C-alpha cells in the first residue's frame, strides 16, 4: 500500500465529498483517512447470539435474550408512573421498565408468550433491568443471527441531522478498508507481537470496527491500546535515556561549607526521614555527570521548601547560582522572606524578582546576576524572561509545577550553555499511573511523611442554612486568637457573577464581624498587586483576623496561625483544588478546621468529592479519587488538558496495559537506545512516522 494513502484527505474517499468532509471535520475532527480509521466505535451491539439472564455482564453492551413476561405491574412514584414487567428465562429473572407510553405498551404485551428482547441492561439493587427494550414475539422474530457485532460510533446531533448516521459512518469505514485493500502496515516488531501474542495491526483494525466475536474484539482493543501507550512510553523513555547519555550536567562534586554550616547551625528543625531520603536522591543526581530532571512530590506542608533550599546550597558550594520560581507573587514573596529568615546570618546573597519590582531595582538585580554577585534568585515568571541572564546558573527549581506549562520549564534550560539541573516540585500529588505518562521522562522523588506534631485538619460539610452556627464557631476561634480564611470560587466563564458573590460575601462578613472588634482583609485577582500585597501583609502580621479571598491564596501560602478554612460553594471546586486549599491551614500546632459550605442541591459527583474530603487527609488518596471522577485530561488543569487525549487507551482503566507498555519500552531501549538493530527496524520506522505526523505527544522538552 502507498504509505501516504492514510494521509489522504477524507474528501477523496468514495461517498464523502466536500460537504460531508466539512461536517466530519467540524464534528469529529476527521480530516484524513487515518483519522477515520482511528475513529473507533465506542460501543457494539451484539446480535451474534441470544444471551441467558445468568450470562449478563455488568457492562453497557446491548444484548438480546429470549424469555417470557411472567408478571406485569404499574408502579406509581412521586416522579411519575412506570410500567414494570418481570421477564424470565430458564436461568433467572430480570425487569423490563417503561417510563413512557405505559398504557399503550401494557395493552400490547402478552403474558407467558416467548419474546426476543433487545437493549442495554442496567444493574440496580442486585438485579438486571432493561429500560424500553425492543421486543419481538419469538414467532415473528426474523431468525438468523448476525455474523458480526454492529459497531456504534460516537455521534453528534449535527451529524445525524446532516444524514451521517451510524450506518453511513460504518459504511465509510468499510469503504476505507476496500480502498486500502486492507493492507495496513505493521507498526510493532515481531518480538513484541510474539511475546504478547498480539493481533497484527491489520486484524486489530478490522476487528475494532467489525468484530467477529467478543474475544476478537477484546484482543483488538488490547492490541490498539497497547500500541498507543507503547509509543508514548517509547518516546518518554528514549528522551530520558538520551538525556542521561548526551546532556551533560554540571557535576556538583562538593558538599561544602554552605551546606554544612547550614545543616549544623541553621536548620530550624530536624529533617524528617522522607526529607533526608529525598535530599540524598537529589545529591546523587547532582553529583553525577548527567543533568538532573527530577519531580519532587510532597503533600502540602510536607516540607519541600527546605529541600529546595538545601539543594540550592549545594549549587552554591560548587560555585553555581540557583533560581526558585513560583507561580504567584504572593508565593514568591513568601519564599523570599522565608529563605532570608532561615538563612539568618549566613552570607548568602539572595534577591526577589517579580513583575512589581521597580525598574531601578530590577536593573541592579540583572547586573548582579550577570556578574555573579547574587547567589539565589527567587521570583515569578519574570525570572524566565530572556533578558534575565545569569553568570552561571546551575540549578533551577520550579515550585507548584502544575501551574506552569512545559514551555516555561524549557525556558530554564536555556539560561546557561549547559542546561542547569532542574527540580520541579508539586503539592498536587499525581497518581503513579498518571505520573508515568505525564512525567515519564523525569525521575520522581516523593516526600510521603509530614513533619511531626501536626494535627490532621478536621473537615466538615455544612449547608448554607447553617451559616449562623458556622459564624458562631468562627467567633470562638477568633476569640482564641486564631485567623480564618474564607474562599470563594472564581471560575473563568462566570467571572462577573463570581466576583459579585465574592463582594456580597465580603459585605455580609463585614456586617457579621464589624469593626473595630474585627478586621477583614480581602484579596482577589482584579486588585492591583500592591493592594494585594498590602492586604496579604496585614493578614500575615495578624492585623486582620479574616481573609476573604478567591483561590489566589491556593498555592503555598504559609500562615501557621490561620486555623480555619471556609470554602464557599465548595461543590464548584475540583477535589485537588479543595485539598490544596485545605492545606493552607493545619500548619501550626493548633487544631485546624476546614468547613465546606454548599447549598442543598448537589450532584452525585459533588457529593463524592465532599465525602472524600471529609473522610481523607491523604493527598494521594484524594488524587486517585479525582482521577477516577474526572479522568486524566482534566486532572492537570487547563494547561495540560488535551495532552492526554488518547484515542483508545484510558490511563486509569488500562493501567495494566500501561505498565506492560512501559516495561517493554524500557527493555527495548535499554538494549538498543537508538532502535538501530535490525529487529527493531519496524519500531523505528513507526516511531519516526508518528513523530512526523504529530500523532504522538510532542510536548515534553
Ligand atoms: P510545602 O511542602 O507545602 O511547600 P513547606 O516547605 O512550606 O511545605 O513547609 C511547611 C511548614 O513545615 C513550614 O512551616 C516549615 O518550616 C515546616 N517544616 C518543614 N519541614 C519540617 C520538619 N522536618 N520538622 C518540622 N517542621 C518542618
Ligand atoms: Mg510549598
Amino acid at each position: 500500500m502507498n504509505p501516504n494513502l492514510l494521509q489522504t484527505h477524507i474528501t477523496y474517499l468514495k461517498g464523502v465529498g466536500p460537504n460531508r468532509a466539512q461536517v466530519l471535520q467540524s464534528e469529529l475532527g476527521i480530516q484524513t483517512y487515518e483519522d477515520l480509521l482511528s475513529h473507533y466505535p465506542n460501543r457494539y451491539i451484539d446480535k451474534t447470539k441470544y444471551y441467558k439472564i445468568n450470562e449478563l455482564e455488568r457492562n453497557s453492551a446491548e444484548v438480546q435474550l429470549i424469555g417470557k413476561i411472567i408478571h406485569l405491574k404499574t408502579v406509581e412514584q412521586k416522579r411519575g408512573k412506570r410500567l414494570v414487567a418481570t421477564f424470565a428465562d430458564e436461568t433467572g429473572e430480570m425487569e423490563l421498565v417503561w417510563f413512557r407510553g405505559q398504557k399503550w405498551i401494557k395493552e400490547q404485551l402478552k403474558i407467558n408468550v416467548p419474546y426476543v428482547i433487545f437493549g442495554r441492561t442496567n444493574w440496580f439493587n442486585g438485579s438486571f433491568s432493561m429500560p424500553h427494550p425492543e421486543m419481538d414475539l419469538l414467532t415473528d422474530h426474523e431468525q438468523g443471527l448476525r455474523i458480526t457485532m454492529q459497531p456504534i460510533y460516537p455521534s453528534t446531533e449535527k451529524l445525524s441531522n446532516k444524514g451521517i448516521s451510524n450506518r453511513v459512518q460504518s459504511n465509510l469505514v468499510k469503504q476505507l478498508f476496500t480502498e486500502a485493500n486492507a493492507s495496513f502496515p505493521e507498526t510493532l516488531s515481531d518480538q513484541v507481537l510474539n511475546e504478547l501474542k498480539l493481533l497484527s495491526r491489520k486484524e486489530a483494525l478490522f476487528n475494532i470496527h467489525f468484530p467477529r466475536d467478543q474475544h476478537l474484539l477484546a484482543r483488538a482493543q488490547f492490541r490498539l491500546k497497547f500500541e498507543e501507550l507503547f509509543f508514548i512510553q517509547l518516546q518518554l523513555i528514549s528522551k530520558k535515556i538520551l538525556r542521561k547519555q548526551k546532556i551533560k550536567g554540571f557535576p556538583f562534586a562538593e558538599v561544602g561549607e554552605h551546606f554544612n554550616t547550614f545543616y549544623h547551625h541553621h536548620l530550624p528543625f530536624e529533617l524528617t526521614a522522607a526529607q533526608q531520603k529525598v535530599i540524598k536522591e537529589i545529591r546523587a543526581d547532582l553529583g553525577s555527570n548527567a543533568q538532573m530532571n527530577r519531580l519532587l512530590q510532597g503533600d502540602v506542608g510536607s516540607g519541600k521548601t527546605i529541600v529546595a533550599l538545601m539543594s540550592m546550597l549545594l549549587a552554591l558550594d560548587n560555585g553555581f547560582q540557583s533560581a526558585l520560581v513560583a507561580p504567584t507573587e504572593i508565593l514568591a514573596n513568601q519564599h523570599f522572606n522565608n529563605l532570608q529568615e532561615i538563612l539568618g546570618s549566613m552570607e548568602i546573597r539572595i534577591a526577589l524578582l517579580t513583575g512589581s519590582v521597580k525598574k531601578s531595582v530590577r536593573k541592579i538585580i540583572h547586573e548582579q546576576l550577570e556578574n555573579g554577585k547574587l547567589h539565589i534568585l527567587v521570583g515569578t515568571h519574570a525570572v524566565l524572561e530572556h533578558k534575565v541572564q545569569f553568570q552561571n546558573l546551575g540549578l533551577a527549581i520550579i515550585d507548584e509545577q502544575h501551574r506552569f506549562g512545559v514551555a516555561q520549564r524549557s525556558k530554564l534550560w536555556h539560561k546557561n550553555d549547559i542546561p542547569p539541573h532542574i527540580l520541579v516540585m508539586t503539592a498536587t500529588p499525581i497518581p503513579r499511573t498518571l505520573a508515568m505518562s505525564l512525567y515519564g521522562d523525569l525521575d520522581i522523588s516523593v516526600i510521603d511523611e509530614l513533619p511531626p506534631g501536626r494535627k490532621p485538619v478536621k473537615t466538615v460539610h455544612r449547608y448554607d442554612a447553617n451559616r449562623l452556627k458556622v459564624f458562631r464557631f468562627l467567633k470562638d476561634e477568633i476569640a482564641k486568637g486564631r485567623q480564618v480564611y474564607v474562599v470563594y470560587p472564581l471560575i473563568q466563564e462566570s467571572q462577573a457573577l463570581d466576583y459579585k458573590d465574592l463582594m456580597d460575601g465580603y459585605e455580609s462578613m463585614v456586617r457579621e464581624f464589624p469593626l473595630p472588634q474585627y478586621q477583614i482583609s480581602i484579596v482577589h485577582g482584579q486588585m492591583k498587586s500592591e493592594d494585594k500585597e498590602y492586604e496579604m501583609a496585614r493578614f500575615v502580621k495578624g492585623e486582620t483576623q479574616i481573609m476573604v479571598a478567591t483561590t489566589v491564596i491556593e498555592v503555598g501560602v504559609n500562615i501557621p496561625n490561620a486555623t480555619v478554612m471556609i470554602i464557599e460553594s465548595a461543590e464548584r471546586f475540583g477535589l485537588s483544588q479543595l485539598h490544596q486549599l485545605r492545606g493552607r491551614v493545619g500548619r501550626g500546632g493548633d487544631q485546624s478546621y476546614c468547613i465546606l459550605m454548599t447549598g442543598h442541591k448537589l450532584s452525585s459527583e459533588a457529593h463524592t468529592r465532599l465525602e472524600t474530603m471529609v473522610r481523607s487527609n491523604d493527598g494521594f488518596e484524594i488524587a486517585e479519587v479525582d482521577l477516577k471522577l474526572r479522568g486524566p485530561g482534566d486532572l492537570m488543569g487547563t494547561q495540560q488538558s488535551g495532552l492526554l487525549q488518547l484515542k483508545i487507551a484510558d490511563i486509569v482503566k488500562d493501567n495494566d496495559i500501561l505498565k506492560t507498555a512501559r516495561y517493554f519500552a524500557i527493555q527495548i531501549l535499554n538494549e538498543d537506545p537508538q532502535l538501530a538493530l535490525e529487529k527493531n527496524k519496524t519500531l523505528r520506522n513507526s516511531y519516526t512516522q508518528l513523530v512526523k505526523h504529530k500523532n504522538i505527544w510532542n510536548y515534553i522538552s
Side-chain angles (χ1 to χ4, degrees):
M1 187 192 75
N2 170 6
N4 289 325
L5 181 65
L6 288 182
Q7 301 308 321
T8 310
H9 198 275
I10 197 74
T11 330
Y12 297 103
L13 188 72
K14 197 167 160 231
V16 178
N19 287 339
R20 279 187 172 175
Q22 208 252 320
V23 182
L24 285 171
Q25 167 157 5
S26 65
E27 293 300 293
L28 300 171
I30 294 176
Q31 292 190 51
T32 62
Y33 281 23
E34 167 125 53
D35 294 339
L36 180 63
L37 191 63
S38 57
H39 177 61
Y40 303 131
N42 56 359
R43 57 195 181 90
Y44 301 85
I45 290 174
D46 188 353
K47 285 193 175 174
T48 61
K49 69 175 263 189
Y50 300 103
Y51 284 82
K52 302 282 181 220
I53 290 174
N54 70 357
E55 288 173 327
L56 292 176
E57 302 265 359
R58 285 160 69 175
N59 62 24
S60 61
E62 294 176 26
V63 292
Q64 54 185 359
L65 303 99
I66 300 175
K68 296 174 185 173
I69 291 175
I70 53 174
H71 185 71
L72 197 59
K73 66 179 173 197
T74 304
V75 181
E76 294 225 32
Q77 270 193 332
K78 254 198 226 146
R79 274 176 287 163
K81 274 193 219 169
R82 68 202 150 97
L83 178 65
V84 179
T86 307
F87 181 82
D89 66 10
E90 65 275 19
T91 70
E93 292 181 1
M94 65 187 286
E95 286 188 343
L96 312 180
V97 191
W98 291 266
F99 302 96
R100 297 178 301 273
Q102 294 102 331
K103 189 162 173 283
W104 184 80
I105 291 164
K106 198 170 177 180
E107 283 164 11
Q108 308 291 314
L109 290 178
K110 298 193 164 72
I111 306 282
N112 277 325
V113 176
Y115 275 102
V116 178
I117 64 163
F118 173 79
R120 181 192 297 255
T121 55
N122 291 324
W123 173 257
F124 186 68
N125 267 351
S127 65
F128 283 101
S129 66
M130 189 183 281
H132 292 261
E134 286 174 26
M135 302 191 62
D136 276 334
L137 284 173
L138 183 59
T139 47
D140 298 348
H141 181 67
E142 259 181 68
Q143 292 293 336
L145 293 168
R146 296 200 193 166
I147 307 166
T148 54
M149 288 191 255
Q150 188 188 349
I152 307 291
Y153 290 91
S155 186
T156 66
E157 212 178 310
K158 194 162 166 206
L159 275 173
S160 347
N161 289 345
K162 298 266 172 178
I164 305 185
S165 61
N166 192 64
R167 185 183 300 258
V168 171
Q169 286 200 51
S170 168
N171 282 341
L172 291 178
V173 179
K174 268 189 201 137
Q175 178 61 28
L176 176 59
F177 273 90
T178 315
E179 287 190 24
N181 200 17
S183 65
F184 300 103
E186 185 50 68
T187 48
L188 296 171
S189 63
D190 288 345
Q191 187 188 0
V192 175
L193 289 170
N194 293 338
E195 279 185 41
L196 286 168
K197 301 198 171 50
L198 298 176
L199 286 186
S200 71
R201 181 166 169 80
K202 173 178 143 188
E203 274 181 279
L205 284 170
F206 190 82
N207 277 288
I208 199 93
H209 287 288
F210 311 108
R212 295 219 168 78
D213 60 42
Q214 300 258 6
H215 183 61
L216 275 168
L217 173 62
R219 290 189 62 196
Q221 284 178 331
F222 184 90
R223 143 90 211 205
L224 294 171
K225 287 174 177 180
F226 174 85
E227 176 176 350
E228 185 168 42
L229 295 169
F230 173 77
F231 282 108
I232 292 166
Q233 291 300 323
L234 205 64
Q235 181 188 37
L236 290 169
I237 291 157
S238 77
K239 280 201 166 153
K240 186 162 156 181
I241 292 178
L242 287 182
R243 187 161 59 217
K244 288 209 163 144
Q245 283 176 349
K246 273 206 194 146
I247 306 185
K248 291 227 309 235
F250 301 113
F252 292 1
E254 296 248 337
V255 177
E257 198 195 316
H258 293 104
F259 187 95
N260 284 325
T261 309
F262 179 77
Y263 189 79
H264 294 295
H265 304 293
H266 296 269
L267 196 59
F269 36 68
E270 232 176 276
L271 296 176
T272 62
Q275 285 169 322
Q276 284 174 10
K277 176 193 74 188
V278 168
I279 290 173
K280 233 188 225 157
E281 287 166 353
I282 292 171
R283 261 172 64 176
D285 279 359
L286 298 178
S288 77
N289 284 317
Q291 181 221 13
M292 172 171 82
N293 263 281
R294 190 168 278 279
L295 173 69
L296 171 56
Q297 291 196 54
D299 214 338
V300 278
S302 62
K304 295 183 291 293
T305 315
I306 203 81
V307 173
L309 172 60
M310 291 177 72
S311 311
M312 294 195 287
L313 294 178
L314 275 174
L316 182 55
D317 278 340
N318 289 274
F320 289 94
Q321 295 165 300
S322 6
L324 172 59
V325 188
T328 62
E329 281 201 21
I330 292 176
L331 198 54
N333 266 321
Q334 189 173 296
H335 272 315
F336 178 69
N337 295 333
N338 183 20
L339 292 186
Q340 271 194 324
E341 194 185 314
I342 310 181
L343 288 172
S345 57
M346 285 181 73
E347 293 236 328
I348 291 173
R349 286 184 299 275
I350 163 171
L352 175 71
L353 182 64
T354 65
S356 42
V357 168
K358 286 205 193 74
K359 240 190 175 159
S360 52
V361 179
R362 199 184 281 231
K363 209 173 141 227
I364 300 171
I365 292 178
H366 285 189
E367 265 171 35
Q368 296 193 335
L369 282 174
E370 283 172 42
N371 67 22
K373 272 215 173 117
L374 267 178
H375 299 141
I376 293 177
L377 181 66
V378 178
T380 53
H381 293 78
V383 173
L384 304 174
E385 282 171 29
H386 184 68
K387 55 180 188 263
V388 179
Q389 293 295 328
F390 293 77
Q391 186 190 52
N392 204 3
L393 181 68
L395 170 67
I397 301 180
I398 303 178
D399 196 16
E400 310 298 350
Q401 151 78 8
H402 67 292
R403 289 294 184 95
F404 287 93
V406 177
Q408 288 153 330
R409 182 165 24 130
S410 83
K411 278 191 186 158
L412 286 166
W413 278 57
H414 302 294
K415 297 259 177 218
N416 206 341
D417 305 335
I418 296 183
H421 296 292
I422 308 271
L423 179 68
V424 297
M425 308 199 291
T426 176
T428 308
I430 304 166
R432 245 195 86 66
T433 49
L434 194 56
M436 270 195 317
S437 311
L438 265 185
Y439 299 110
D441 64 328
L442 301 184
D443 294 306
I444 297 179
S445 289
V446 181
I447 304 186
D448 50 8
E449 174 186 14
L450 292 181
R454 293 270 171 81
K455 295 195 183 85
V457 178
K458 281 191 184 148
T459 304
V460 292
H461 172 201
R462 293 282 178 265
Y463 292 105
D464 290 337
N466 291 324
R467 190 168 290 280
L468 285 180
K469 255 192 178 159
V470 173
F471 283 159
R472 273 203 295 280
F473 174 74
L474 292 190
K475 285 179 180 161
D476 290 347
E477 282 295 299
I478 292 170
K480 290 188 214 159
R482 309 283 145 67
Q483 289 166 287
V484 176
Y485 293 105
V486 185
V487 175
Y488 285 82
L490 188 71
I491 306 199
Q492 233 104 37
E493 302 94 67
S494 56
Q495 258 192 16
L497 249 144
D498 284 342
Y499 183 69
K500 185 175 174 301
D501 284 352
L502 172 80
M503 286 330 232
D504 289 352
Y506 174 69
E507 274 160 29
S508 78
M509 290 303 286
V510 172
R511 272 196 305 276
E512 191 66 30
F513 296 85
L515 289 162
Q517 192 185 356
Y518 298 103
Q519 304 273 341
I520 305 183
S521 287
I522 178 163
V523 171
H524 58 80
Q526 303 191 355
M527 285 163 72
K528 281 210 208 96
S529 78
E530 304 124 64
D531 298 341
K532 267 193 259 180
E533 300 294 323
Y534 174 76
E535 285 291 305
M536 198 69 208
R538 292 207 309 148
F539 190 64
V540 174
K541 282 185 252 167
E543 290 171 10
T544 59
Q545 297 92 12
I546 300 175
M547 160 67 76
V548 176
T550 54
T551 47
V552 289
I553 60 133
E554 177 192 347
V555 268
V557 177
N558 188 24
I559 300 166
N561 192 48
T563 57
V564 185
M565 165 65 62
I566 298 195
I567 304 177
E568 295 287 347
S569 305
E571 75 279 7
R572 292 179 53 196
F573 290 88
L575 252 181
S576 69
Q577 212 179 6
L578 289 173
H579 182 62
Q580 282 288 322
L581 285 168
R582 178 169 60 183
R584 297 308 109 221
V585 296
R587 302 195 141 231
D590 302 309
Q591 178 62 57
S592 292
Y593 304 88
C594 174
I595 304 174
L596 307 168
M597 302 295 301
T598 73
H600 273 283
K601 246 194 178 164
L602 291 174
S603 69
S604 76
E605 212 190 288
H607 257 296
T608 310
R609 287 198 297 267
L610 298 168
E611 255 167 41
T612 307
M613 285 294 293
V614 169
R615 181 188 57 183
S616 173
N617 265 300
D618 176 348
F620 279 91
E621 185 184 340
I622 288 168
E624 294 285 352
V625 176
D626 203 18
L627 183 59
K628 284 191 188 121
L629 284 179
R630 289 204 287 165
D634 287 339
L635 194 61
M636 306 313 295
T638 44
Q639 277 152 347
Q640 268 146 344
S641 68
L643 295 177
L644 286 161
Q645 279 171 4
L646 297 172
K647 291 201 178 104
I648 183 165
D650 176 322
I651 283 178
V652 183
K653 292 189 195 128
D654 301 319
N655 184 232
D656 288 349
I657 308 180
L658 173 61
K659 282 188 194 149
T660 311
R662 185 169 175 84
Y663 173 82
F664 271 80
I666 290 172
Q667 299 301 314
I668 291 167
L669 288 169
N670 274 346
E671 186 193 18
D672 181 15
Q674 312 277 359
L675 299 179
L677 295 178
E678 183 57 30
K679 66 173 179 179
N680 292 328
K681 201 171 147 197
T682 320
L683 293 181
R684 189 177 66 238
N685 288 342
S686 329
Y687 182 71
T688 317
Q689 284 290 317
L690 282 171
V691 173
K692 195 162 118 200
H693 296 300
K694 295 217 164 54
N695 278 335
I696 193 163
W697 296 346
N698 210 0
Y699 60 94
I700 289 171
S701 46

